[in-house]
Amino acid sequence: MALKNTIPTNEKKYSGFVFQKINYILFVSSILIVAVGFLLMMGTEDIYSFTKITLAPLVVIIGFAIGFVAILYKPKNKDI
């Protein structure tokens, strides 16, 4: 008996990278934003300054959010 092919013919077999170029750009930018946030947190000012208490944590959270978007973002054209 011959075995039938279980892969439908209308689906393309894609053996490239999982992410596209835009995903990598977003991910690298998120890493840089998180690094800037930690540098702001490390500043030489007093420990209770606006930069350390408010601005730096917001920058870090925004960087993590962009990283999350970079992982989940699916470009419309997969042929790029």
Side-chain angles (χ1 to χ4, degrees):
M1 288 179 91
L3 295 174
K4 289 186 176 183
N5 189 2
T6 58
I7 300 173
T9 57
N10 60 354
E11 291 183 15
K12 286 195 257 183
K13 187 169 183 170
Y14 185 72
S15 62
F17 291 112
V18 175
F19 295 126
Q20 298 295 317
K21 183 178 179 181
I22 187 69
N23 296 95
Y24 290 112
I25 291 171
L26 285 171
F27 193 67
V28 169
S29 65
S30 73
I31 291 171
L32 292 175
I33 291 172
V34 169
V36 167
F38 279 116
L39 287 174
L40 286 172
M41 224 179 284
M42 188 180 70
T44 58
E45 299 173 12
D46 63 336
I47 194 167
Y48 298 111
S49 67
F50 169 77
T51 304
K52 287 185 178 182
I53 297 293
T54 306
L55 184 64
L58 284 175
V59 171
V60 170
I61 290 172
I62 289 170
F64 282 133
I66 292 173
F68 186 72
V69 168
I71 292 171
L72 293 181
Y73 181 70
K74 185 175 182 180
K76 295 190 189 317
N77 295 337
K78 195 134 178 142
D79 297 331
I80 297 175

